[in-house]
Amino acid sequence: MPLESYATILKHAGQNGYAVGAFNIFALEFLPAILSAAAEERSPALLQINPVHFHHHDLPNYLAYVKAQMARVDVPIGLNLDHGLSKETILQGIEAGFPSVMFDGSRLPFAQNLKKTAGIVVLCKSRNITVEAELGHLNDEGLELTPETQQRLFTDPDKAAEFVAETGVDALAVAIGNAHGFYKGEPKLDFERLQRIRDKTQAPLVLHGGSGISQADFKKAISLGICKINIYTEMSAAAAAFVKQETAKQQAPVDYPTLLSGAREAVKQVVKHKMRIFGSSGKA
Ligand SMILES: [Zn+2]
């Protein structure tokens, strides 16, 4: 079926009490894994590409191929540029064919993030492109969560309301104790804050850094308004673990196609598992 829009996918998730998984592809091996998981689970999904992985490809050609593969699957699949850090990157992504983008100004001071995000929204709306933005800082450094660090890093509910109203973004990524990569220690999400953000704004809410969050915490976050969850690290780790195990097991020379197909299968199992936890299985 044709590409589904980011906004429609998130709206359906929000209205039906589940979250859609947004799975990053950095290379072609991940693409069939995610698409076949979605088809088998009858689940909507979002594919994402982070600009840090752009250099692996001739981007317009790569996106054309990704879209052609997406169109062969009969469940709703959207495509999003993940973490565009500058206007130039966003424009490069739009030019190459992304129908939705995430602009990440989260490391900027509030006023600057708001101003730049609003500019990106104006730029994108005229081209019918959806915009996700982020407010607050993900705890990627693994800082100890004291009242001071929480105050500094986490999304402020009042500012979230102001940010959404002033910028007109289609979705808001929040910082509530989540982090990219694997967590250093047990993730501890601030659900009371998430509830207050939900009370203050109707924008669809997004959780980045989904790798390592428990099933119970995912379900609670979804019940409090999270309708998109980003996953990358766990897929990458599952693929790498298979390659490591298989390489150790095989006699030389190692059979490369076996490594690729096994890695693909490992990624697919992670994706299917997440779709069941997020409640998106059977929703297509
Ligand atoms: Zn992210």
Side-chain angles (χ1 to χ4, degrees):
M1 61 190 287
L3 231 74
E4 188 56 275
S5 85
Y6 175 102
T8 304
I9 288 177
L10 262 65
K11 191 174 171 199
H12 189 265
Q15 285 173 345
N16 291 279
Y18 69 92
V20 64
F23 304 98
N24 280 55
I25 50 173
F26 81 96
L28 283 178
E29 284 74 41
F30 280 28
L31 181 65
I34 298 162
L35 293 180
S36 59
E40 286 173 26
E41 289 295 315
R42 308 302 308 158
S43 170
L46 282 160
L47 297 178
Q48 301 196 128
I49 303 173
N50 191 310
V52 297
H53 295 139
F54 279 2
H55 70 278
H56 291 297
H57 316 284
D58 166 28
L59 195 61
N61 276 332
Y62 182 57
L63 283 193
Y65 179 77
V66 168
K67 286 179 179 175
Q69 294 305 110
M70 289 165 70
R72 297 176 61 167
V73 180
D74 64 347
V75 293
I77 311 278
L79 177 65
N80 188 39
L81 185 159
D82 193 24
H83 288 287
L85 297 173
S86 68
K87 184 178 166 184
E88 289 68 33
T89 306
I90 297 289
L91 283 170
Q92 183 193 2
I94 294 171
E95 190 81 3
F98 279 98
S100 57
V101 300
M102 183 226 176
F103 173 68
D104 180 4
S106 66
R107 295 279 155 183
L108 302 170
F110 176 73
Q112 243 177 298
N113 185 7
L114 189 150
K115 192 170 167 223
K116 285 208 171 186
T117 303
I120 298 290
V121 171
V122 170
L123 184 85
C124 288
K125 282 282 137 85
S126 62
R127 295 165 165 87
N128 208 18
I129 308 262
T130 318
V131 182
E132 172 187 324
E134 182 168 315
L135 186 63
H137 311 302
L138 263 59
N139 187 17
D140 293 348
E141 292 81 15
L143 299 175
E144 191 191 339
L145 292 177
T146 61
E148 185 276 321
T149 48
Q150 292 193 24
Q151 175 74 19
R152 188 157 51 82
L153 298 177
F154 288 9
T155 307
D156 178 291
D158 289 309
K159 285 192 170 147
E162 183 187 343
F163 187 83
V164 170
E166 296 285 323
T167 60
V169 289
D170 299 281
L172 183 70
V174 294
I176 53 167
N178 43 323
H180 291 113
F182 278 128
Y183 287 79
K184 300 171 182 76
E186 193 81 4
K188 198 171 171 339
L189 302 184
D190 185 346
F191 290 116
E192 190 264 338
R193 181 180 298 263
L194 180 58
Q195 175 74 66
R196 282 191 289 131
I197 297 168
R198 172 74 307 161
D199 291 344
K200 300 261 177 184
T201 173
Q202 291 306 304
L205 301 177
V206 177
L207 192 70
H208 283 234
S211 293
I213 292 176
S214 74
Q215 186 162 336
D217 279 0
F218 275 135
K219 286 186 186 299
K220 180 137 200 213
I222 293 164
S223 77
L224 294 171
I226 293 292
C227 59
K228 170 180 179 266
I229 300 172
N230 288 10
I231 299 287
Y232 171 67
T233 306
E234 267 184 71
M235 296 189 298
S236 173
F242 174 83
V243 169
K244 191 175 175 193
Q245 188 191 24
E246 187 64 21
T247 307
K249 204 171 76 183
Q250 283 190 24
Q251 302 291 332
V254 174
D255 183 52
Y256 186 59
T258 307
L259 297 184
L260 281 187
S261 58
R264 192 179 288 179
E265 183 59 28
V267 170
K268 182 174 161 183
Q269 293 312 320
V270 170
V271 174
K272 289 180 82 157
H273 183 62
K274 294 297 178 212
M275 286 170 165
R276 289 174 198 168
I277 294 172
F278 298 166
S280 67
S281 291
K283 297 295 196 316

